[in-house]
Amino acid sequence: KEVQQGSVIYLALEDRRDRISWRTKATKELLNIEGKIGDLTVHCQDDEWLGTFKNGGLEAIENWIEEKDNPRLIIIDTYQVFSGIQQGGSDAYQKDVEFISPIQVLVLKSGVCLIFIHHLNKQGSFMGSQAILGSSDWHISLDKKEDESYGTIKGKGRDIEEFSETLERKKTSPMDK
């Protein structure tokens, strides 16, 4: 699909640099892409980067937005790692709203799209409070079975038509498990 070009930052907060490098190589092979993939900044859990909300992650993202000529997309993988463990006080819904609010302000002010990666439970249901879904403009879920060669991607939200598609998993090499 044709997309707007610009700078992207991907916070792979549950992955080490070597795993992301391998996955990037495999994806480039699968899509037959050579060379650098645009203006992509990747931070991993083993990098020296402020990777959570509580230790300055939001300010670091704001600085990234200010430094780039054309910032377009922020991907935070995962919501739970970035938000951190929230202690005492109010209910889970209220805590999620309080966490998400400054991020919404940043996104609306900058015009940059933000994608939070968040896990589903073993039954395929959304984990956490409904504030996460209620605060987002749209959400997409990927349900895949470990022993199957396909998965289902579903999406719905304020600005997109609800959809459901089956995706086939392709191996990038004979060594791919």
Side-chain angles (χ1 to χ4, degrees):
K1 295 197 178 236
E2 198 170 312
V3 297
Q4 293 181 2
Q5 299 297 304
S7 301
V8 176
I9 186 169
Y10 173 45
L11 309 182
L13 303 176
E14 291 186 333
D15 285 310
R16 296 179 46 84
R17 175 66 57 186
D18 58 348
R19 182 168 187 241
I20 292 298
S21 295
W22 177 86
R23 291 174 80 185
T24 301
K25 182 178 183 257
T27 301
K28 287 171 73 174
E29 285 177 21
L30 179 68
L31 299 175
N32 199 23
I33 296 172
E34 293 184 28
K36 187 179 175 194
I37 304 174
D39 185 9
L40 172 64
T41 303
V42 178
H43 291 286
C44 300
Q45 70 175 187
D46 52 349
D47 292 346
E48 292 200 21
W49 184 82
L50 298 174
T52 69
F53 186 80
K54 290 186 179 178
N55 69 5
L58 187 60
E59 292 82 12
I61 291 170
E62 287 173 327
N63 291 338
W64 175 83
I65 290 170
E66 290 174 11
E67 291 170 6
K68 294 297 178 178
D69 290 333
N70 189 21
R72 300 302 308 157
L73 178 62
I74 302 160
I75 304 169
I76 300 176
D77 185 358
T78 66
Y79 176 91
Q80 186 63 42
V81 173
F82 190 75
S83 66
I85 298 170
Q86 301 178 22
Q87 302 291 328
S90 57
D91 67 21
Y93 188 96
Q94 182 62 33
K95 288 180 185 201
D96 282 333
V97 168
E98 289 171 4
F99 166 70
I100 293 170
S101 291
I103 296 168
Q104 284 178 313
V105 169
L106 173 65
V107 168
L108 291 171
K109 180 176 76 173
S110 67
V112 175
C113 181
L114 172 82
I115 297 173
F116 267 123
I117 307 295
H118 192 58
H119 294 288
L120 301 176
N121 64 24
K122 292 185 192 276
Q123 292 77 37
S125 300
F126 188 79
M127 293 177 63
S129 82
Q130 292 300 305
I132 301 168
L133 288 177
S135 297
S136 65
D137 286 334
W138 49 270
H139 65 273
I140 296 174
S141 64
L142 174 62
D143 183 24
K144 64 181 179 71
K145 308 290 187 241
E146 289 296 322
D147 56 345
E148 302 286 340
S149 63
Y150 66 92
T152 305
I153 188 166
K154 299 176 183 176
K156 68 179 183 177
R158 294 182 192 130
D159 301 326
I160 64 172
E161 277 190 46
E162 191 169 337
F163 68 89
S164 178
E165 298 286 336
T166 299
L167 301 176
E168 181 182 356
R169 184 177 189 277
K170 294 187 178 190
K171 292 185 175 192
T172 58
S173 73
M175 302 299 288
D176 186 1
K177 297 179 182 174

